[in-house]
Amino acid sequence: MINLAWLVPVLPAIAFVIIIFLTRRLQMVSALTSILAMAGSFIISLGIVFEVLAGPVTMDNPVELSARWLEVPGSVFIQAGVLIDPLSAVMLFVVTFIALLVMIYSIGYMKGEPGYSTFFAYLSLFSCSMLGLVVSNNYFQIFMFWELVGLCSYLLIGFYYHKDSASQANKKAFITNRYGDFGFMLGMFFLFLLFGTFNFRELAAVIPSYTNEALLTVVALLIFVGPIAKSAQFPLHVWLPDAMEGPTPVSALIHAATMVAAGVYLLARGFVLFESATTALIIIALIGGFSSIFAASIGLVQRDIKRILAFSTMSQLGYMVMAIGLGSITAGMFHLTTHAFFKALLFLGAGSVIHAVHTQDIFEMGGLSKKMKVTTWTFIIGSLALAGIFPLAGFWSKDEILLTAANAGEYFGIPILGPIFLILGLSVAFMTAFYMFRLIFVTFFGEEQPGSHAHESPAVMTVPLIILSVFAIFSGFIGTPFTPNGFAEWVYYGEPHHPHPNYGIMIMSTVVALAGIWLAWLIYGKRAISAEMLANRFSTIHRILYNKYYIDEIYLWLFDRVMLGIADACRWCDRKIVDGIADGFGDGIRAMGARMRFIQTGNMQNYALVIFVAVVIIALVLAVPVLGGI
Amino acid sequence: MITLNHYLILAAILFCIGFYGAIAKKNAVAVLMGIELMLNSVNINLVAFNRFLSPGEMTGQIFAIMVIVVAAAEVAVGLALVLNIYRQRLTTDVNDLDWLKW
């Protein structure tokens, strides 16, 4: 199966071509083409996972298939290749599995939408790009697919392009990601300049012996700019909440489970570089941790169901980035895997709710638990998993991250870092539990909206929810400290670190999660504390949080004042100085010509006179030296 | 006694008269005549120099004959031009011949 790994990204690409050129008019055929191709990829991925877990393929002993692609003799040599190790195998499984479920779900969700076939074509193109990114064996190829997933994200956010907000949002996402890609590209070229290769394994062999750590830090941070934008980390996170303008399955697949995780994947894939630059690693951990608490706090007060989930995604991505920054790609990738399942579940559940009530404001919903039993229960399972309640998936992966956070001081040799990151992680866990159960109590319980015609979604939508909720419950067991030969033995950097059960941290994380749920119940379930009263009491904080710390406004202001100001200054320089010099020459010469042309009288006797005078003058000049002063 | 200087002065006077004619006359034929006068004053110079400075050689005289031949050709071309201009424009006034002006 591993030899077929190249087929995994190719199958959806074929589906994309078929749909675009052949079956656009036949909606169901398009959907089935897309799903069949994805199922093929999924089966191959499954085979790869089993082969990797059973066989001799490990992180230190991966399988690499590659071909020459671009070559400029003597200078640049770029491969096209496939690198299969447990890291990419896990990602392959997650991406193909969720893409398959989301596509099945979309059959129901997108029913009757214009552009049904196009939607599936884009989903296939996205799957192709994402899978291509996952299997890449070099930075250049990963960058290419990285751009492609960005393009698909742009296309799908703007799927309802007739809506102004959607077309604004996709531009915002695209442009914000350009900033990240620019940094990534610079970093990548620096790497090539320093080491003469893009290949991950060749780089891994030479980077540890490179001694100029300052330069490595710069390169690592430049490359990290890519994940900052792609994985919506502060300060390039602004595109992710707006990306919720896309159809909900897209939010589930791209903006929750897979594409935004590409940044985390890149950090894990290129970890040897970051590990060699300790300063960069600390900065990565700080940015991840800050993004995580920053987004969680915004999520506390939002009203739009998809935006709450979007900020939750950003917060959890921050968790993963922090875990990798703290030196554990095991914890980061484990959380990525479990998070992909339950966040896809939550988004698809939110989609089911939106499909039923046609609004995204949670305060316009309410009492849906009676009418939408499957959606409600699967959503609650997803939320419990996200909140990190024992023994669901999120508990185990969050536990890993908190354990990593607690060991941060040891890892960097700066003792203060341990408690800082642990407290940060626990506060985020508390907020996560709170905003998820605020969402649940308001949406599914509480008073029913008068005149609501909500009904359960069709089976094609609920079955993926049920499958995902099974994974949300059980996928954590692959990586618990009690699992022999678990996740930590598959995906690791250097030596596998089997986690030892740390009951203190487990209890702490459970307590803060339960406290968050309890507080949400007090305010929104039992209504013992009035939400309005709290909002009025802390109105400043509430306003700041509700407006997302005014980051968008600050960027707009920066753009309007600073960027446009600089642009105006540049334009002035260009118009007045650069163009002025060039135009000045032209104008000067033309003005001279305008004066000089009056010499040309057109009267031949004038010319004759001038010629004669000139001859006389020349003759005198020549004659004087010869004759002397006669 | 007539010396070289007498010839040179005569030639200079003749040249000035010719030059004046070429520059100041309005009639194109008169301008051509002025040019002829200038050429002939040069011829006088050539022959005079030949006679007074190197009497044994004929260089100056041969050169003068060359100038006469060229002048004849020049007058033929010039008169043909004047004739054509007159046919086109019904004028031979050189002040009117300024169509190439800006």
Side-chain angles (χ1 to χ4, degrees), chain A residues 73-228:
Chain A
S75 57
V76 183
F77 169 56
I78 298 171
Q79 299 171 312
V82 169
L83 179 67
I84 297 294
D85 56 10
L87 179 65
S88 51
V90 166
M91 278 297 278
L92 278 182
F93 174 76
V94 170
V95 174
T96 52
F97 179 67
I98 290 174
L100 184 61
L101 289 178
V102 166
M103 282 177 179
I104 293 171
Y105 176 93
S106 302
I107 294 178
Y109 187 86
M110 296 302 287
K111 200 178 186 71
E113 298 269 3
Y116 193 83
S117 295
T118 320
F119 180 76
F120 280 94
Y122 288 166
L123 277 188
S124 288
L125 181 63
F126 168 75
S127 313
C128 159
S129 325
M130 186 69 206
L131 293 166
L133 189 155
V134 169
V135 297
S136 292
N137 73 335
N138 62 68
Y139 273 104
F140 196 87
Q141 192 181 343
I142 225 171
F143 181 73
M144 215 175 68
F145 285 109
W146 183 273
E147 292 293 322
L148 265 177
V149 290
L151 167 73
C152 296
S153 165
Y154 166 81
L155 290 173
L156 285 163
I157 295 169
F159 188 72
Y160 300 126
Y161 53 83
H162 46 83
K163 262 171 68 187
D164 189 49
S165 55
S167 66
Q168 298 288 345
N170 69 352
K171 273 182 275 176
K172 188 173 177 182
F174 204 71
I175 293 167
T176 311
N177 271 295
R178 287 282 78 62
Y179 285 94
D181 298 340
F182 185 62
F184 183 9
M185 195 162 71
L186 282 182
M188 187 175 88
F189 290 150
F190 259 119
L191 266 188
F192 190 83
L193 277 180
L194 290 179
F195 301 107
T197 176
F198 285 121
N199 186 292
F200 288 122
R201 289 177 68 197
E202 288 168 20
L203 284 172
V206 289
I207 286 177
S209 53
Y210 192 73
T211 46
N212 189 343
E213 198 182 317
L215 196 53
L216 270 190
T217 307
V218 172
V219 174
L221 287 176
L222 278 174
I223 287 189
F224 178 56
V225 176
I228 287 182

Side-chain angles (χ1 to χ4, degrees), chain A residues 359-492:
Chain A
T359 173
Q360 303 200 4
D361 188 335
I362 55 172
F363 290 99
E364 291 175 15
M365 303 174 183
L368 295 175
S369 61
K370 288 168 207 130
K371 290 173 173 163
M372 307 178 73
K373 287 215 157 50
V374 181
T375 306
T376 307
W377 283 109
T378 49
F379 202 93
I380 289 174
I381 291 170
S383 302
L384 286 171
L386 175 57
I389 299 300
F390 178 85
L392 280 75
F395 173 77
W396 302 108
S397 53
K398 207 170 270 191
D399 186 56
E400 275 267 335
I401 290 180
L402 292 175
L403 203 62
T404 309
N407 291 334
E410 239 171 86
Y411 185 77
F412 289 117
I414 308 172
I416 189 72
L417 286 179
I420 289 178
F421 280 108
L422 186 61
I423 290 169
L424 194 84
L426 287 172
S427 347
V428 173
F430 172 77
M431 291 188 203
T432 308
F434 177 81
Y435 63 65
M436 281 321 293
F437 279 84
R438 165 178 178 267
L439 173 61
I440 285 178
F441 288 126
V442 172
T443 309
F444 294 104
F445 301 98
E447 288 148 37
E448 228 171 291
Q449 289 288 317
S452 145
H453 301 292
H455 53 86
E456 186 56 277
S457 302
V460 75
M461 286 167 72
T462 50
V463 169
L465 292 182
I466 294 167
I467 297 174
L468 279 172
S469 54
V470 171
F471 275 85
I473 297 172
F474 295 107
S475 63
F477 292 117
I478 56 173
T480 71
F482 311 104
T483 316
N485 195 19
F487 198 85
E489 271 80 25
W490 311 337
V491 177
Y492 55 85

Side-chain angles (χ1 to χ4, degrees), chain A residues 279-301:
Chain A
T279 321
L281 215 50
I282 294 179
I283 291 172
I284 291 172
L286 286 174
I287 287 185
F290 179 73
S291 302
S292 154
I293 196 158
F294 175 82
S297 63
I298 297 174
L300 295 177
V301 297

Side-chain angles (χ1 to χ4, degrees), chain B residues 17-88:
Chain B
I17 295 169
F19 182 67
Y20 171 77
I23 295 296
K25 281 289 168 188
K26 286 189 174 180
N27 193 316
V29 179
V31 171
L32 283 174
M33 289 163 70
I35 293 170
E36 286 306 308
L37 280 184
M38 286 157 77
L39 286 166
N40 281 323
S41 74
V42 171
N43 284 347
I44 291 172
N45 267 0
L46 290 169
V47 175
F49 277 120
N50 183 233
R51 169 69 183 76
F52 283 95
L53 295 184
S54 53
E57 291 169 34
M58 300 301 237
T59 340
Q61 297 187 30
I62 291 170
F63 210 79
I65 291 170
M66 283 287 291
V67 172
I68 291 168
V69 171
V70 172
E74 175 255 318
V75 164
V77 174
L79 283 175
L81 281 171
V82 171
L83 205 61
N84 267 306
I85 290 169
Y86 183 75
R87 280 186 188 156
Q88 295 270 328

